[in-house]
Amino acid sequence: MNDILGLVALACGIIVGLGAIGASIGIALMGGKFLESSARQPELMNQLQTKMFILAGLIDAAFLIGVAIALLFAFANPFAATFLATVAK
């Protein structure tokens, strides 16, 4: 049982860590492209800024969904129930 809980904790850390790295890289690339496009066409800055904030929210939402899945595995572990059912037999 302790092995499964340890592996689940490791998997939760990997899910959150990789999600955070991916979200930060995505927002950094998007911010860089926003600055490049604003420098080229300053008259479109307001429209681009609105679209950038919408996309930043969507990128963060994908990361938060990963955090929710990690919390699901951490606190309502479906693997532990299966393991306990096989051990009890």
Side-chain angles (χ1 to χ4, degrees):
M1 181 68 180
N2 288 333
D3 292 339
I4 289 182
L5 293 178
L7 291 175
V8 167
L10 182 64
C12 291
I14 290 171
I15 289 171
V16 172
L18 290 179
I21 289 170
S24 62
I25 290 172
I27 289 177
L29 290 174
M30 182 183 58
K33 296 298 181 181
F34 167 72
L35 290 176
E36 287 177 14
S37 61
S38 296
R40 286 185 187 158
Q41 294 182 338
E43 66 273 4
L44 294 177
M45 187 182 297
N46 290 333
Q47 295 172 352
L48 292 173
Q49 186 176 16
T50 303
K51 292 176 183 176
M52 185 193 76
F53 283 130
I54 290 171
L55 287 174
L58 291 173
I59 291 171
D60 278 342
F63 166 66
L64 290 177
I65 290 170
V67 170
I69 290 171
L71 289 174
L72 171 74
F73 284 139
F75 294 111
N77 190 352
F79 302 117
T82 306
F83 177 73
L84 290 175
T86 58
V87 171
K89 291 181 181 179

